[in-house]
Amino acid sequence: QCLLSGSWRSNTGCRMVVSILGKDGSFSGSYLPGPAAGGSRILTSPLEGSQQDAGPVPHPTFSFTVHWQLQAQTTAFLGQCYVGTNGDETLHAVWLLREAADSPDEDWKATR
């Protein structure tokens, strides 16, 4: 069984802390980007998300969003938690980062 609650670190040095899962699968926590994000003004930012099922499932899917402090950006993550044969839990996720665009003409470059 894979549990999202706790502290996670990515291979790029990002850190995520997830609170206890609610009965409905919802969770909250905090996210701090790693050194690859650059900039000294990067702060720990709040995250909100949900897991497909709060019950014991072997490899649950999840999603969460991070609203970045001091920046007009939001990132959405979508992934799945896996438990390896040695018992290690890993998260595999894709993400989209959305920056505020100044106009509809600038919309095309606002999502990475």
Side-chain angles (χ1 to χ4, degrees), residues 25-89:
S26 65
F27 60 87
S28 61
S30 59
Y31 192 91
L32 179 64
S40 59
R41 292 181 49 121
I42 304 291
L43 300 174
T44 299
S45 298
L47 67 82
E48 297 287 331
S50 64
Q51 180 178 304
Q52 81 179 49
D53 186 352
V57 293
H59 307 292
T61 59
F62 62 88
S63 64
F64 65 91
T65 58
V66 176
H67 176 73
W68 300 103
Q69 299 292 328
L70 303 177
Q71 299 172 2
Q73 299 176 340
T74 300
T75 303
F77 292 80
L78 179 66
Q80 190 166 359
C81 187
Y82 294 99
V83 179
T85 55
N86 60 359
D88 288 344
E89 298 170 329

